[in-house]
Amino acid sequence: MPPFYENKQSRFECFLSKDITFPAHLHDAVEIIFIKEGELHVTVQNHSRILKKHDVALSFPNLIHSYSCAHSCLAIICIFAPTHAKEYYHLLHSHEPKSPFFDAGTDIPPYEKDIPLAFERMLLYASGSSPATSAAWLNLILTCLLSETPLTVRDDRGDTDIVHRIISYISLHFKEPLSFDLLAKKLHFNKYYISRVFAEKLNCSFYEYINRLRLDFAARQLKDTALRITDIWQEAGFESQKTFNRNFLACYHMTPSQYRKVLPPIS
């Protein structure tokens, strides 16, 4: 999953994800995650919950969100530009759900049958030859979810704007050498303040965050290209193959070579 800041007005992705774990991030798209099996700890802005089978999380554009899988989880993820939901375009930019989570069978009367079916159909048509049909299922899902949840006017001032600027800059430059001093100079913030933002808002360190972006980029290159592993770790921004291999093994519990060989056909 491309997790970092993007601004693509035509973006539409729907895919199956296994055991997803990713630190806090944001982008200009809407992101919906539906749990097929297992459990996933999800945070959207200041809301956190462990989602279980058939639960849903909905993140509006530019809201900070993260995923953490402790054991096992299979989920359908849809990331799309608001232009794919024209009826809700302005709402998606000006408001946010009072709670971004929907419990299976409790929040929405027809949830138990309709929502799981809609997610399965959206995934089916997205991976086939009919993205327009997939988008139609998406709009049905949004209608069900947004008709049953209170919305609040979004406040994008203060720390949220600072985090947005930090993540936006890093997402564009994570392949390059980065440091606190450089980031502080580019964004005109005190480096100790940036460190506190990472600890309090992103729940990880500056270098943990950059390292995770680089690993995600490398993993997708291993999956989607035939590039040599040496070329991949260099392009991702790692200083040495030893550092890359050590961090990759710690994150994915296998070597890059093993990952490329055994990777299943899901994101």
Side-chain angles (χ1 to χ4, degrees):
M1 181 180 76
F4 37 82
Y5 184 89
E6 293 190 48
N7 186 6
K8 296 182 179 179
Q9 295 303 312
S10 61
R11 182 178 187 180
F12 182 91
E13 299 177 68
C14 183
F15 53 90
L16 199 59
S17 183
K18 188 175 190 292
D19 300 339
I20 182 173
T21 292
F22 209 88
H25 60 284
L26 54 78
H27 41 64
D28 275 355
V30 185
E31 192 162 329
I32 305 178
I33 185 164
F34 171 80
I35 309 302
K36 281 175 61 69
E37 300 291 344
E39 296 183 355
L40 183 68
H41 185 266
V42 178
T43 298
V44 180
Q45 290 292 90
N46 298 317
H47 306 275
S48 292
R49 184 178 296 184
I50 295 177
L51 301 188
K52 300 181 180 181
K53 184 174 181 178
H54 289 182
D55 288 349
V56 173
L58 173 61
S59 178
F60 278 30
N62 295 320
L63 295 185
I64 300 167
H65 52 289
S66 63
Y67 306 121
S68 178
C69 178
H71 301 291
S72 65
C73 176
L74 191 62
I76 297 173
I77 299 178
C78 183
I79 305 173
F80 63 94
T83 50
H84 288 281
K86 294 181 180 179
E87 182 178 348
Y88 302 105
Y89 181 86
H90 295 292
L91 191 68
L92 292 170
H93 283 99
S94 61
H95 290 69
E96 62 185 83
K98 189 174 182 180
S99 171
F101 307 119
F102 302 85
D103 298 329
T106 58
D107 290 309
I108 305 170
Y111 193 112
E112 186 173 352
K113 294 181 180 180
D114 294 350
I115 293 295
L117 174 63
F119 272 98
E120 294 289 354
R121 291 293 185 268
M122 180 172 64
L123 176 64
L124 174 66
Y125 287 106
S127 59
S129 58
S130 184
T133 304
S134 183
W137 283 102
L138 165 66
N139 278 271
L140 176 62
I141 292 169
L142 288 175
T143 298
C144 290
L145 298 182
L146 295 178
S147 65
E148 296 292 334
T149 183
L151 299 175
T152 59
V153 177
R154 183 181 303 189
D155 181 2
D156 287 331
R157 297 170 299 173
D159 287 344
T160 300
D161 179 62
I162 294 169
V163 174
H164 185 289
R165 291 175 62 188
I166 290 173
I167 293 178
S168 176
Y169 184 86
I170 291 176
S171 72
L172 295 174
H173 300 279
F174 70 91
K175 301 177 190 177
E176 307 166 12
L178 287 176
S179 66
F180 268 127
D181 290 331
L182 177 61
L183 191 61
K185 181 180 179 180
K186 292 293 184 180
L187 299 181
H188 308 292
F189 291 133
N190 181 284
K191 65 180 181 180
Y192 300 107
Y193 178 67
I194 294 176
S195 178
R196 191 169 74 249
V197 169
F198 271 91
E200 296 177 358
K201 300 295 182 179
L202 302 178
N203 300 313
C204 65
S205 74
F206 171 74
Y207 292 104
E208 286 173 340
Y209 188 81
I210 294 173
N211 190 56
R212 190 62 182 86
L213 289 182
R214 290 171 175 168
L215 286 171
D216 181 76
F217 172 82
R220 296 195 68 83
Q221 293 293 92
L222 288 168
K223 171 191 172 185
D224 297 335
T225 76
L227 290 173
R228 296 185 306 159
I229 292 177
T230 299
D231 294 331
I232 290 175
W233 68 256
Q234 289 177 340
E235 185 181 358
F238 287 96
E239 296 180 354
S240 68
Q241 186 163 358
K242 182 179 180 181
T243 300
F244 171 60
N245 288 341
R246 182 180 68 250
N247 284 282
F248 197 95
L249 182 63
C251 182
Y252 294 100
H253 310 294
M254 64 182 76
T255 67
S257 297
Q258 291 171 331
Y259 185 88
R260 175 170 264 174
K261 290 177 182 178
V262 305
L263 187 68
I266 60 175
S267 300

